[in-house]
Amino acid sequence: MKDARFAKFVVGVNGAVPLAILGWDAWRHQLGANPIAYALHTTGMLALVFLMLTLCVTPARKLSGANMLSHFRRTLGLYAFFYAAVHLGIYFVFDRQARFGAVISDLALRPFIRVGMCTFLLMVPLAVTSTNGMIKRLGGLQWKKLHRLVYLVAIGAVVHYYEQVKADIRLPLIFAGVLAVLLAFRVVTEARGAMKRAFLARTARMARQSSPA
Amino acid sequence: MLIKKPEDVKSSEITDEKLYRSRRQVLRIGVLGASMAATGFVYRRFNPLPRFAGVEQRGIVITKAPPTVDLKASGFVTDEPKTPYDIITNYNNFYEFSPNKEGVAPAAANFVSEPWKVVVGGLCAKPKTFDLDDIKKVISAEERIYRMRCVEGWSMVIPWVGFSLGKLLELVQPNSAAKYVRFVTLFDTTRMPMQNTDLLPWPYQEGLRMDEAMHPLAILALGLYGKILPPQDGAPIRLVVPWKYGFKGIKSIVKIELTDKQPDNTWHAFMPDEYGFYANVNPAVDHPRWSQKTELRLGDGWRRPTPPFNGYADQVAKLYAGMDLRANY
């Protein structure tokens, strides 16, 4: 048990490493000619990577049988939210000069800004209900249903990235491919589960019918 | 229960509990440190810092403007802080080399622009093919410190070295039928690698109305910061029209043609709804996909309002009197 706590701690600390390096680079004025664009790109990318890692946890656990992996899911998901929040914060403060009017006109003009904003807003209820207390309060089933929103969030994040890129769409397509595999895993396990349940129900019914009255 | 110590283990060999615990602690610190190093390595590997490529810096002869010229009133010089040389030479839109602004400088590093010829012809009395060195002998270059506003929403202040385009056009004596000037970039797929792709319709072309071309603010630049133009900034000769969006500033020019028809410019031909022929800097007319009200001044890090005609309204607004600038974007 102590080892699981330590492992969680390691993941928690490592999630902050990119932010620390980014901050250090910014402090030394190493972010190039357009530091805002660099910081926006980096934090957006980190949010996307942590989102994908979060979605990797369940397939990895089921495929490997290493149940301790599920300890990392919340930490990874919260880091995805955290980097998305920093991404949005940089956009608001530096790109929009902290003016709400400028954000609204930007939302009106740029579809990918709308997609990004919606994606972030969908992450908020997931982050808020990430505590043990909230899981209890909602009840496991409700909580699970709510957290299926993460699939919508992941799709929104990839679309936001794809629409923003002007010429070289290779990287957004790679993310789309990874996401497709992760979603396909869910569809396949879900379908297999449903088939198994249907089979068990049928055999049970048949057993009842064939038994002498 | 009595626990007997095995006879073959001397008490001196049993690890002290404290030491055992601290060993575990050391191991954990090691694991934590190694994992952080690995994370840092992966982060840096996939997200490298932009590097400023070194540029060969060769001087260029600059002639001081005669004291009769009021540099400020003419718009020839601004006293705003100049954008650092490293930024001007490492943040470029030059699709012939790379669609990535920070990738142009390394991709263009080996571009050779000597010798260079510019064909000046069309509707004129004395068409001529100039060797670049001949132009330098005939027309003296001055320093012009201009704001430059990119259509993408960023800006710089660049100390160009160049001469008014009108001076070159006068040499070939345009005739009265000439209403426009057309410019063409070098087309050479071996020297400009992206011309092998269909990223844009090649070669890059631009155009100006005759009165715009004859305006003293419109220059052909040969250098910046007192040095010859590096390849990524349009070596060896490029157009600079400071009251228009940066894409009007066609680079590595090989042909200048006087014509009676409005020339098609590359970005307009490629995306007619987004980029116009005039492309005057205008905060009142948004690009269809973003606002043009503000700009990010590179090097100082903050957005600022964009003035009409990029701050050159006093000098050039009269050229467009009575024109609908929303329709002629």
Side-chain angles (χ1 to χ4, degrees), chain A residues 147-205:
Chain A
H147 279 248
R148 292 225 168 101
L149 274 179
V150 74
Y151 303 128
L152 213 55
V153 168
I155 293 168
V158 172
V159 171
H160 170 68
Y161 181 30
Y162 176 85
E163 283 192 324
Q164 180 271 137
V165 170
K166 261 207 313 201
D168 191 355
I169 54 167
R170 280 174 303 182
L171 212 48
L173 287 183
I174 289 173
F175 274 104
V178 170
L179 180 59
V181 170
L182 292 171
L183 292 182
F185 180 86
R186 267 88 180 173
V187 173
V188 169
T189 39
E190 196 66 27
R192 280 174 63 184
M195 271 163 63
K196 205 167 160 189
R197 280 194 299 277
F199 174 75
L200 287 175
R202 204 169 62 228
T203 44
R205 206 164 49 238

Side-chain angles (χ1 to χ4, degrees), chain B residues 4-236:
Chain B
K4 275 190 189 166
K5 276 186 183 156
E7 292 299 315
D8 53 343
V9 179
K10 283 186 234 149
S11 69
S12 62
E13 283 180 0
I14 297 175
T15 312
D16 183 57
E17 191 191 338
K18 242 183 176 167
L19 195 67
Y20 173 79
R21 287 215 173 148
S22 78
R23 199 188 70 101
R24 197 177 166 80
Q25 211 61 29
V26 166
L27 202 70
R28 284 190 162 179
I29 290 169
V31 168
L32 185 66
S35 71
M36 286 168 75
T39 305
F41 176 79
V42 170
Y43 170 80
R44 183 82 318 152
R45 172 73 184 70
F46 286 100
N47 193 43
L49 282 174
R51 284 262 167 268
F52 288 140
V55 175
E56 184 205 1
Q57 300 190 1
R58 272 165 52 206
I60 188 167
V61 182
I62 306 176
T63 311
K64 276 228 164 70
T68 48
V69 177
D70 184 342
L71 293 173
K72 290 258 179 60
S74 60
F76 285 180
V77 166
T78 171
D79 51 13
E80 288 171 73
K82 288 177 264 188
T83 304
Y85 185 77
D86 275 348
I87 293 183
I88 299 172
T89 55
N90 282 280
Y91 198 77
N92 313 91
N93 272 320
F94 201 169
Y95 280 40
E96 280 80 347
F97 292 105
S98 166
N100 166 14
K101 282 186 272 294
E102 282 160 319
V104 173
N110 296 318
F111 180 71
V112 178
S113 59
E114 284 172 337
W116 193 271
K117 285 189 176 11
V118 183
V119 180
V120 187
L123 302 172
C124 60
K126 293 183 170 171
K128 191 178 174 189
T129 299
F130 290 91
D131 200 280
L132 198 63
D133 291 333
D134 295 340
I135 298 183
K136 286 180 189 171
K137 277 176 208 151
V138 184
I139 309 173
S140 56
E142 308 157 12
E143 179 158 80
R144 302 284 182 93
I145 308 176
Y146 286 164
R147 287 174 292 277
M148 144 117 152
R149 169 65 156 80
C150 178
V151 73
E152 296 170 338
W154 51 265
S155 65
M156 300 183 183
V157 175
I158 305 178
W160 298 108
V161 179
F163 54 86
S164 289
L165 168 62
K167 287 189 184 170
L168 179 68
L169 296 180
E170 277 163 11
L171 290 181
V172 298
Q173 298 174 13
N175 62 40
S176 59
K179 298 280 184 280
Y180 295 92
V181 187
R182 175 172 166 260
F183 305 84
V184 184
T185 293
L186 171 74
F187 182 74
D188 185 339
T189 53
T190 58
R191 290 155 78 194
M192 294 183 155
M194 293 310 280
Q195 287 179 337
N196 285 309
T197 71
D198 53 7
L199 198 59
L200 282 178
W202 312 111
Y204 199 90
Q205 301 190 30
E206 261 304 338
L208 290 175
R209 219 167 54 187
M210 203 61 197
D211 57 341
E212 297 175 326
M214 297 307 289
H215 195 285
L217 278 175
I219 61 167
L220 289 169
L222 305 167
L224 58 88
Y225 266 109
K227 316 284 181 196
I228 60 160
L229 273 183
Q232 61 267 37
D233 288 284

